[in-house]
Amino acid sequence: MIAAVTTLSFLVAAWATVYAVIVSLDDSSAKIVAALKGDSMLAREPVLTRPVTVRISGRHPSLRSQSARAKPEWRAAA
């Protein structure tokens, strides 16, 4: 009985391994074929682009314009 369970678990593990390899090769097979033909992304000339400058403000502008005074309603609630 132990031999049957062990054999069955081995066959399931082997099937899962083969299935994972087939799925991973299926996803990247187009890339592999393109690389073998010499038409991969790395074989092409890189596209030169201009770097983008991004300006980031430390504080939101609306935070500076609000006053920090307590209102009477807030005092009553406290």
Side-chain angles (χ1 to χ4, degrees):
M1 182 68 181
I2 293 174
V5 172
T6 305
T7 303
L8 184 62
S9 64
F10 172 76
L11 290 175
V12 168
W15 175 80
T17 304
V18 168
Y19 182 75
V21 168
I22 289 172
V23 168
S24 67
L25 285 178
D26 186 37
D27 291 342
S28 61
S29 62
K31 293 179 185 177
I32 293 172
V33 170
L36 290 174
K37 288 181 179 179
D39 191 31
S40 69
M41 293 294 290
L42 296 175
R44 297 180 188 156
E45 290 285 328
V47 178
L48 298 177
T49 59
R50 182 175 174 245
V52 178
T53 304
V54 179
R55 300 175 91 193
I56 299 174
S57 174
R59 301 180 104 197
H60 195 273
S62 65
L63 293 177
R64 286 186 235 148
S65 63
Q66 293 178 353
S67 63
R69 296 188 179 220
K71 295 183 178 177
E73 299 87 31
W74 293 353
R75 289 185 186 151

